[in-house]
Amino acid sequence: MMEHPDMNTLRARVEELRRTLEHHAKLYYVYDTPEISDYEYDKLYYELIHLEKQYPELDSPASPTHRVGGKALDKFDKVTHTARMDSLSDVFSYEELNEFLIRVREIIPEARYSVEPKIDGLSVSLRYVDGVLVQGATRGDGVVGEDVTVNVKTIFDLPLTLPEPLTLTVRGEVYMPRAVFERINAKREAAGTALLANPRNAAAGSLRQLDPQVTASRALSVFIFNFQEGYLYADGHSPASHTETLDRLAELGFPTLAERTVCSTYEEIVAHIEHLGRMRDELAYDIDGVVIKLDALSDRARMGEGTNTPKWAVAYKFPPEQKITRLTDVTVAVGRTGVLTPTAVLEPVRLAGTTVSRATLHNLDFIRERDIHIGDFVTVQKAGDIIPEVVCAHPEKRDGREVPFAMPAVCPSCGEPVFREEGEAAVRCTNSACPAQLARGIEHFASKDAMDIDGLGPQIVEALIREGLIHDAADLYTLTADKVENMDRMGEKSAQNLIAAIDKSRSAGLERLLFALGIRNIGAVAATALAARFGTLEACMKATVEELCDIPDFGAITAQCVVNYFSHESNVRLCQRLTDAGLLTSTTAAPTGDRFAGKTFVLTGTLPTLTRDEASAMIKAQGGKVSGSVSGKTDYVVAGDAAGSKLTKARSLGVTVIDEDELRRMLSE
């Protein structure tokens, strides 16, 4: 078929529009230095859309109009990686780092190392065919990931096309820039919606949105840090080093790290680690460590690969970042069990990727032991890089205006007296009808690990209590859409969704219900063990201390807490009302195999593809036990990203540490 006489002109205009739009999009989204107005950009964008629709033969998957487009997905398809996406072994001290270097020097005495920041994001594989991006996939378990092609195309610093028609696969780390994270959280706070926890979680959640429009709104970025397979040069030439590889990738338009260097000695490596540690706050992105890997690709081949990690690289993980700031006040909140918890109000400080203005002080003993006064300068850190906590005070910085903290004599919620049991650190409210206890208790009942009632957040709970619609958890199952749709932040559709979520929770099962009841010392793991031992809520209510102590890891105190809970008439009435409301009061967990019979597992950190609930369920389905703490009786610790003190304790006790890949292998044996 002959082309339209003006087709060459149209094709040239389309290509010009694409180049112009890519240029201005990068200036806007990546460098924050726009040269044209949104109106001018939109005119060019819609001209391109019009031409591509009118002349489909001019359309291309590499067009910027495909960066944000298409309908939302129902699910992500699985992708089997043609090149494994292994993780790295972690080292947590310079001694462990030196042990790695000694092992390398035994084989390669003159080794040189690429030393570069470890981006705190989400690893992805990106495949280009004839210079066009055709697939983006998450790491998953290293062998199988998820197809997120439509979402990675929304990342404006990632090229959709290369300047040369190369076929290759690269690996990168998707992250959310700090400025974007803070901007999004400022908007969410103003709108009264839940804040994003940290940039890493925000990036991971954004990339796995089924609606690419949502991903696009999160303004993610990416760094390419490895060449996986294919050809970097049209003539088939292969780079000899990692440094040469990254330089070539940068030539092709891929964003690569500038803060990298090549070192030869332990002293040079440590110096660069210290340098990167000092400049963490100056970077536009979060890092949680430094990657040290052999630079020469031939040296990597000589060192070889381990079972799940390469022998030619390690990741040095930074210790928890600490900062000094002023403690300006202490507020006291009342929890679901009546415990009064003090929280430090801080002068805002940047810490581990977020701005921190509040931190936990645990209890009164914690404050007294550390001699913390209101007005003190204090050191704060994030426990496990997640929860801000006060580490210590600096009394040498006092100027006389500081005042000691005193726990209030009455409950800040209901005004009733508070008390402290002998031998306990906790101060409690004496009023069982305390509004704060009721609200926190309902929030716990509805939480993800409990009855998992989606949409029943703190504001809705407080509104339901304020309107007199609920007085305990059982009242939730008497609600109807017409009762709640006129409340603040609620409408007809939201009300219907809430009632549907409440109805769905009826089938959550005994394990979740026992945890949801808020029995002292009964967490999710203990609730599962309790359900497995007795099978029904009625049997749990009749259990004796002796019977409960027969459950592994159940001590006399935990057993007595269970007996005490079910000895109160108000709790018995609540359980009866929940039963009458149609809740499933029998266990849903029945092992389908015995592969892990007699074995105890502990989960720590963030696993690549499994939630802790999913991993726990898989272990329990094979007769294994999942514990919340590491001891000499622990058989395996399953460690993911940001594993903390549990991993350290496991190593000190000689407990076998495995990752998700190894867990899946054991399950499939």
Side-chain angles (χ1 to χ4, degrees), residues 176-197 199 202-203 206 214-220:
M176 180 176 285
R178 288 175 174 175
V180 173
F181 175 80
E182 291 172 352
R183 185 168 66 243
I184 290 174
N185 263 354
K187 290 181 179 179
R188 294 172 75 93
E189 186 172 23
T193 55
L195 301 184
L196 302 176
S206 300
V214 176
T215 305
S217 71
R218 302 288 176 84
L220 299 177

Side-chain angles (χ1 to χ4, degrees), residues 339-340 362-366 407 420-427:
V339 173
L340 275 62
H362 300 290
N363 52 54
L364 186 59
D365 285 350
F366 180 92
M407 192 69 80
R420 181 177 183 178
E421 290 183 5
E422 186 176 350
E424 274 205 355
V427 175

Side-chain angles (χ1 to χ4, degrees), residues 478-661:
T478 67
L479 295 174
T480 57
D482 61 310
K483 286 183 180 179
V484 300
E485 65 183 22
N486 292 322
M487 295 192 315
D488 289 344
R489 301 180 181 273
M490 191 64 71
E492 182 178 351
K493 185 62 176 178
S494 297
Q496 291 172 353
N497 290 340
L498 176 60
I499 299 305
I502 292 172
D503 286 341
K504 181 182 176 183
S505 74
R506 297 177 200 266
S507 59
L510 180 61
E511 296 82 3
R512 287 178 173 271
L513 178 57
L514 288 170
F515 177 54
L517 290 175
I519 304 169
R520 285 182 66 185
N521 290 324
I522 298 297
V525 174
T528 300
L530 186 58
R533 169 64 178 80
F534 295 101
T536 66
L537 179 60
E538 183 179 7
C540 291
M541 295 171 71
K542 295 177 180 177
T544 65
V545 169
E546 292 74 19
E547 290 172 331
L548 290 161
C549 283
D550 286 339
I551 300 173
D553 290 346
F554 259 58
I557 294 176
T558 302
Q560 192 62 56
C561 286
V562 175
V563 171
N564 288 348
Y565 180 87
F566 290 121
S567 67
H568 286 281
E569 184 59 33
S570 59
N571 294 333
V572 173
R573 285 197 303 271
L574 173 64
C575 290
Q576 185 58 56
R577 291 182 62 215
L578 291 169
T579 302
D580 293 342
L583 272 69
L584 179 61
T585 56
S586 59
T587 181
T588 60
T592 58
D594 58 1
R595 192 163 295 146
F596 293 155
K599 302 295 183 183
T600 299
F601 291 73
V602 171
L603 303 170
T604 181
T606 303
L607 300 179
T609 67
L610 297 173
T611 65
R612 290 198 186 185
D613 284 348
E614 291 168 341
S616 296
M618 293 165 71
I619 292 167
K620 292 170 187 173
Q622 291 299 325
K625 176 190 170 187
V626 179
S627 176
S629 58
V630 179
S631 70
K633 297 180 180 179
T634 305
D635 295 288
Y636 299 98
V637 167
V638 185
D641 288 345
S645 58
K646 293 178 184 177
L647 178 59
T648 303
K649 187 173 182 180
R651 286 173 168 159
S652 69
L653 294 174
V655 175
T656 301
V657 177
I658 62 175
D659 59 11
E660 182 185 312
D661 291 355

Side-chain angles (χ1 to χ4, degrees), residues 46-66:
Y46 287 109
E47 181 186 351
L48 179 57
I49 287 179
H50 172 73
L51 289 173
E52 289 175 344
K53 285 184 176 179
Q54 189 172 2
Y55 303 99
E57 61 269 38
L58 297 180
D59 198 1
S60 165
S63 172
T65 60
H66 294 286

Side-chain angles (χ1 to χ4, degrees), residues 29-98:
Y29 289 100
V30 180
Y31 300 113
D32 198 24
T33 55
E35 293 180 344
I36 62 175
S37 67
D38 290 352
Y39 174 76
E40 291 172 298
Y41 181 90
D42 289 344
K43 280 183 64 178
L44 297 172
Y45 186 82
Y46 287 109
E47 181 186 351
L48 179 57
I49 287 179
H50 172 73
L51 289 173
E52 289 175 344
K53 285 184 176 179
Q54 189 172 2
Y55 303 99
E57 61 269 38
L58 297 180
D59 198 1
S60 165
S63 172
T65 60
H66 294 286
R67 279 200 182 274
V68 186
K71 60 182 181 180
L73 304 174
D74 296 323
K75 63 182 181 67
F76 293 112
D77 293 329
K78 297 297 183 184
V79 173
T80 299
H81 301 301
T82 53
R84 278 185 63 95
M85 297 180 68
D86 288 329
S87 57
L88 297 180
S89 297
D90 292 333
V91 296
F92 297 90
S93 67
Y94 290 141
E95 290 77 14
E96 290 181 356
L97 171 61
N98 196 37

